[in-house]
Amino acid sequence: MSDFEAVIGLEIHAQVSSKTKMFCGCDNDSFGKEANTNVCPICMGFPGMLPVPNEEAIEKGVKAAMALGCNIPPHSKFDRKNYFYPDLPFGYQISQFDEPVSEKGEIEILVDGEKKKIGITRLHLENDAGKLTHTGNDTLLDYNRSGTPLMEIVSDPDMRSSVEAKEYAETIQKILRYVGSSDCDMEKGMMRFDASVSIRKKGDTNLNARAEIKNLNSFRSLEAAINYEIKRQIKLWEAGAPHNIEQTLSWDDDRGTTQIMRTKESAADYRYFPEPDIPELDIDPEQIKNWQDEVPELPMVKYERFLKDFNLQEIEARFYTEDSKLAEYFEEVAKATNPKSANSFVGTILIKRLKDAGKTISDSPVTTAQLIELIQLVEEGTISNNVAKSDLFDEMMSSGKNPKEIVEEKGMAQVSDSGSIKTYCEAALAANPQAVEDIKNGKMKAMGSLVGAVMKESKGQANPKMVNEIFKELMGL
Ligand SMILES: [Zn+2]
């Protein structure tokens, strides 16, 4: 590898999270539905059908493009991309060719803590094809997916390794989710990647013939396919026969290899022409401005703000900003209490309990208000940190009740009454003469076992600070 560098670009297809399909009123959620039950004459491509662009899908596509830093020209249009394939009942795909809804953006990704800029060539809108299932000699067709709205996001060839490509794809996923344009659920096929890979001598600036690996449907396959392809092309180069024609490849996940499907199509092969059934798309500049204002704070900006505002480690800031809902939750708790307690209660306790319960932050039984109340109970000394993070938290998770209510019901309040603590301490001194002797000889470590004895007897409810003070008082230290 040392003499060579990889040049990688990605095309990402992400399903727009609109209610209905791109050009008809069919439900945009076909997941788990019986084959060919979520279709109509429009998405089946019947003769005479009239596609109508989905305004919600256009708005979500444009907002995604804005979040990727793209320019939004006021004028764009849809085109027919002609090719014949059984999963495409129209004989063409409705896509955007020379006047897409957006172009020329840029995002930043984090690779090993370093920021890197990746150019976005364009984001355009199109509809998806159906699904073919091959069984023995038969092929089954399901058109439920046909007409599903897609954003195709094309990157510049700015990535140099599979790690960067994976980081880029994950960043795009995060951004699309933040802006609410796609759920990007990989399991449901809502996000797929085509990776273009070529190799050149280090220091060269030319672009050599690419191989495009189609339809990678997981981050793991994306990384594996790119690594395989880089190695394959280097071998060809070293054998004196560099890869020199544009090719389209498929990836075999089981075997971990790529296979050549065909030489790569050029735009001319698709005989693009303007879609005659759909009026050209003109978006009012005022509308563009309004949409721009609605784009939320993006993950990288939030990440940097969290580092600064909450004094977090990089890994923590990254963790909280992976998901906008988690980021909001953390921020609300941190602002109402303090970042250190928020970090401890959200980042370790809550997240672990949610994971164990198979839940996410969005369906957390513990609300931000309840968690804030819990932290306040600890800080004012009503309950011990220990109780807050164990029995009381468990009870909040299972009952959904407010912590104050549970503390009263279950008698979990910390014992801060000096009379009761004194009784516990006197009993501990009487029961542990050796520890008392050690402390008198200056072995302060023995204090731990005395405090431990009180905590045990009081079921963790004695205020530890007071326990320490009262021991010192009783022993005249
Ligand atoms: Zn339909």
Side-chain angles (χ1 to χ4, degrees):
M1 183 68 199
S2 60
D3 294 343
F4 298 96
E5 72 174 2
V7 178
I8 303 160
L10 290 193
E11 278 179 22
I12 297 181
H13 286 95
Q15 179 174 338
V16 184
S17 58
S18 54
K19 278 195 191 63
T20 55
K21 291 185 182 180
M22 190 69 220
F23 299 110
C24 65
C26 291
D27 192 348
N28 187 21
D29 182 9
S30 293
F31 191 76
K33 290 201 172 112
E34 198 187 329
N36 299 306
T37 57
N38 187 28
V39 292
C40 73
I42 294 177
C43 55
M44 291 284 285
F46 279 28
M49 56 86 186
L50 197 61
V52 179
N54 178 341
E55 284 179 22
E56 187 195 5
I58 291 171
E59 175 180 337
K60 290 192 166 181
V62 170
K63 282 183 177 167
M66 288 167 165
L68 303 177
C70 290
N71 294 331
I72 314 296
H75 180 85
S76 60
K77 67 177 170 68
F78 287 98
D79 300 276
R80 286 190 183 177
K81 179 180 181 181
N82 297 281
Y83 66 98
F84 180 77
Y85 208 65
D87 63 4
L88 193 68
F90 307 73
Y92 57 85
Q93 180 184 30
I94 305 178
S95 182
Q96 296 191 294
F97 179 47
D98 53 347
E99 293 184 86
V101 82
S102 74
E103 56 194 9
K104 290 198 186 75
E106 185 179 82
I107 64 162
E108 287 181 323
I109 62 169
L110 269 180
V111 184
D112 298 330
E114 298 283 315
K115 275 205 230 165
K116 179 170 179 172
K117 290 187 161 117
I118 308 290
I120 307 287
T121 314
R122 59 193 275 165
L123 174 152
H124 69 250
L125 291 162
E126 59 188 29
N127 59 358
D128 204 356
K131 189 179 162 210
L132 299 177
T133 307
H134 305 286
T135 59
N137 288 329
D138 299 320
T139 296
L140 303 172
L141 285 162
D142 176 9
Y143 290 116
N144 282 352
R145 270 200 76 81
S146 178
T148 297
L150 297 179
M151 296 174 272
E152 180 174 323
I153 301 163
V154 184
S155 82
D156 293 343
D158 289 347
M159 289 151 270
R160 297 290 169 265
S161 68
S162 61
V163 173
E164 286 184 14
K166 179 166 170 272
E167 188 58 47
Y168 165 81
E170 285 175 344
T171 305
I172 294 280
Q173 182 188 49
K174 212 175 346 182
I175 293 172
L176 297 182
R177 284 177 173 168
Y178 259 64
V179 82
S181 295
S182 174
D183 297 335
C184 294
D185 188 337
M186 310 284 297
E187 311 269 296
K188 293 185 181 173
M190 290 180 183
M191 200 183 185
R192 310 190 293 266
F193 316 115
D194 300 339
S196 287
V197 180
S198 65
I199 295 294
R200 66 185 172 200
K201 282 264 170 66
K202 267 197 180 147
D204 283 359
T205 52
N206 61 314
L207 294 173
N208 292 319
R210 296 171 295 169
E212 185 180 40
I213 316 158
K214 296 293 254 187
N215 268 326
L216 299 161
N217 56 16
S218 71
F219 293 112
R220 197 178 51 80
S221 334
L222 173 71
E223 221 178 351
I226 291 174
N227 283 337
Y228 176 86
E229 190 53 27
I230 291 173
K231 278 197 195 122
R232 186 183 78 91
Q233 291 188 25
I234 288 178
K235 259 192 205 154
L236 288 173
W237 199 300
E238 286 174 342
H243 179 260
N244 61 359
I245 42 163
E246 303 254 307
Q247 280 174 334
T248 300
L249 312 178
S250 65
W251 170 248
D252 185 329
D253 237 339
D254 297 329
R255 284 199 248 159
T257 57
T258 53
Q259 276 115 37
I260 294 171
M261 290 162 76
R262 52 185 184 260
T263 53
K264 192 169 162 44
E265 316 74 0
S266 67
D269 295 328
Y270 290 121
R271 296 178 295 111
Y272 279 100
F273 63 86
E275 167 59 57
D277 290 336
I278 301 178
E280 301 204 340
L281 191 59
D282 290 299
I283 310 177
D284 182 2
E286 191 63 25
Q287 179 70 273
I288 293 180
K289 202 192 154 290
N290 290 343
W291 285 345
Q292 185 77 58
D293 292 342
E294 285 168 22
V295 173
E297 181 180 42
L298 295 169
M300 186 67 88
V301 179
K302 208 183 267 294
Y303 164 80
E304 291 184 324
R305 188 169 63 77
F306 273 28
L307 278 180
K308 195 161 59 76
D309 287 3
F310 303 127
N311 199 23
L312 296 172
Q313 311 254 343
E314 284 176 8
I315 191 169
E316 294 164 343
R318 178 141 188 178
F319 174 75
Y320 291 122
T321 54
E322 281 302 311
D323 172 342
S324 61
K325 293 277 180 310
L326 177 60
E328 272 167 35
Y329 192 108
F330 172 79
E331 180 162 18
E332 198 180 327
V333 176
K335 280 185 170 162
T337 60
N338 63 80
K340 199 163 168 264
S341 300
N343 198 9
S344 160
F345 276 89
V346 179
T348 47
I349 309 297
L350 177 64
I351 292 298
K352 188 177 177 303
R353 295 293 209 290
L354 288 175
K355 207 173 162 198
D356 292 346
K359 289 180 184 296
T360 65
I361 198 75
S362 304
D363 51 14
S364 168
V366 177
T367 65
T368 47
Q370 289 172 329
L371 194 64
I372 291 165
E373 187 178 293
L374 178 70
I375 294 173
Q376 285 165 346
L377 287 174
V378 175
E379 290 183 346
E380 69 198 27
T382 307
I383 49 169
S384 72
N385 197 38
N386 196 18
V387 165
K389 288 180 174 172
S390 53
D391 298 356
L392 178 50
F393 210 96
D394 290 340
E395 188 65 25
M396 287 167 72
M397 284 292 293
S398 58
S399 71
K401 287 185 183 165
N402 292 335
K404 268 188 189 158
E405 206 181 332
I406 301 170
V407 167
E408 270 169 36
E409 266 178 30
K410 308 251 165 177
M412 287 174 167
Q414 181 160 259
V415 178
S416 295
D417 137 42
S418 58
S420 330
I421 293 183
K422 199 168 176 187
T423 313
Y424 282 126
C425 290
E426 284 166 347
L429 290 177
N432 297 280
Q434 186 59 50
V436 176
E437 193 59 34
D438 288 347
I439 291 167
K440 284 187 176 154
N441 292 328
K443 294 181 187 164
M444 290 309 287
K445 260 193 180 169
M447 187 66 107
S449 62
L450 289 177
V451 174
V454 172
M455 295 315 279
K456 194 174 168 218
E457 281 304 307
S458 69
K459 298 192 176 66
Q461 283 169 289
N463 180 329
K465 204 169 150 232
M466 289 183 70
V467 173
N468 267 292
E469 280 164 10
I470 287 172
F471 268 130
K472 285 182 182 161
E473 193 186 303
L474 288 174
M475 287 188 279
L477 298 170

